[in-house]
Every structure is written in C-alpha cells, then in structure tokens.
Amino acid sequence: AASKRPSWKRWVGCGFILGLATLAKASFGLVAIFSFLWFLLSLRSVKLKQRFMYYLCFVLPFVLIISATTLRNYLIAKDPVLITAHSGINFYIGNNHQANGLFKLPLNMRPTQAGLVEDAKIIAQSIEGRSLKGSEVSNFWTERAFRFIRDDPGAYLRLLGKKLLLFWNNQEYVDDIEYYIFRDEAAL
C-alpha cells in the first residue's frame, strides 16, 4: 500500500513495523536489508527528492527502534550488542559437523532456551579460559561454525543441499511446537 499510494505516514508505519518485527525475530534483519533495496526500485516514478524523504521515513523508525535496543544492551551489559547475543550459537547449531539440516542440540547443552544460552556461555568461557561478554560468546560460536565451513567445505555443501531439500519438502519439521496439532484441533 505504501508503494502504491506513498505517504510519509505509511512509510513511517512500515519502518516501525519492520523494526518491531526485527526485535521479535532477529532474522527479520535480512528482510529489512531486502526491503530497503526493494524500496529503491519500487518508487522509481516518484521524484528523487520525494523518494529520498519517503526512504528516510522508512529507514529512520527502523533504525531508532534497533538503536534503542542496542543502547539498552550497552547500558545494562556494557556490551554494544545490536539486538541479541545469541546469533552465534544459533548459527553454530545449523552449521557444524553434527548438524543435519534440522534443529539438533549440540552436545552438553540443555534442551531449553535459557539452558542453551547459559550452556553456550559456560562452554565458550571454559574453552577460552576467561569470562566473556555476550558478544564474545556469540563470536566464539560463529567462529566455530565458520571453522567447520572452512575446514570441510564438502560437508558444508552437502549440509546446504540437505537444508535445501528440507526447505522445499511439504513436511514441517518440529523443534518445539507441533503446528499440525493446532491446525487440526484449533478453529482459528
């Protein structure tokens, strides 16, 4: 609607919603990048100055929402984490020698969200031999995932192929909520 009938209010709303969605699920950051690029292509018929103003109306609310979270993270933890410090362990879960394309808990980690985060920190600190900030824990696990990709590119490519097949499969694989039970049992 904002691209078909552009107004500053619509674009502010889009940026605000995209910012909130990114806070709720950090992977929406990728959606944000593609949205900002799409925007540049979507309003080619609008005069350049007006398009620039709409772009600011779209990007600024997003940046303000994310910046508020980053500031909060810095003030509380003295660690300038953009949104969350859990991206490293999540990336590692999907990209290591034991990964199978689905959610598979790494060894010695508890099967709860809080347990996983705490255990990821305990293991990283134990291996590093020192106390780590949230961003350092995330970097630790990200590096381990990239080490797997770098050291065994064949295994990584096979894993990517498996993920691609699972993505296009008509079965939703469950890691914590069985969606099909809700579909069959809940009218909504």
Side-chain angles (χ1 to χ4, degrees):
S3 67
K4 290 180 182 171
R5 291 175 295 145
S7 74
W8 71 269
K9 288 180 184 178
R10 284 191 179 99
W11 284 113
V12 165
C14 290
F16 183 76
I17 290 168
L18 188 56
L20 291 177
T22 303
L23 287 184
K25 185 147 179 78
S27 59
F28 265 90
L30 293 174
V31 174
I33 291 168
F34 287 111
S35 295
F36 298 146
L37 294 173
W38 164 82
F39 177 96
L40 296 174
L41 300 173
S42 70
L43 294 179
R44 286 184 288 199
S45 63
V46 176
K47 292 180 183 175
L48 186 61
K49 184 177 178 180
Q50 188 66 42
R51 192 178 344 157
F52 179 72
M53 293 307 293
Y54 288 150
Y55 193 72
L56 286 179
C57 288
F58 183 37
V59 173
L60 285 179
F62 175 84
V63 169
L64 286 173
I65 287 172
I66 302 305
S67 297
T69 302
T70 304
L71 177 62
R72 180 244 176 235
N73 289 338
Y74 180 74
L75 293 175
I76 300 295
K78 303 296 184 242
D79 195 7
V81 172
L82 193 62
I83 297 171
T84 177
H86 307 137
S87 59
I89 187 61
N90 288 324
F91 186 61
Y92 176 78
I93 287 169
N95 299 285
N96 67 75
H97 282 289
Q98 283 76 44
N100 62 5
L102 303 172
F103 178 82
K104 184 177 179 186
L105 195 65
L107 294 173
N108 303 318
M109 293 195 188
R110 288 173 277 174
T112 64
Q113 190 171 18
L116 174 66
V117 169
E118 188 177 323
D119 293 342
K121 184 175 185 174
I122 290 168
I123 292 168
Q125 289 181 153
S126 173
I127 291 172
E128 291 294 313
R130 63 185 178 90
S131 180
L132 300 175
K133 292 181 177 183
S135 61
E136 294 172 317
V137 172
S138 185
N139 291 341
F140 172 87
W141 291 106
T142 299
E143 172 53 36
R144 290 179 75 94
F146 278 121
R147 189 178 314 144
F148 157 68
I149 294 167
R150 185 178 52 248
D151 292 351
D152 199 345
Y156 177 65
L157 288 174
R158 285 188 297 278
L159 178 61
L160 282 182
K162 191 181 288 187
K163 288 178 183 182
L164 186 65
L165 291 173
L166 289 168
F167 178 79
W168 289 107
N169 187 339
N170 67 349
Q171 175 67 39
E172 179 78 25
Y173 292 92
V174 177
D175 65 351
D176 64 350
I177 297 173
E178 177 60 75
Y179 298 110
Y180 299 107
I181 290 173
F182 291 107
R183 180 191 66 196
D184 296 338
E185 300 298 326
L188 181 61

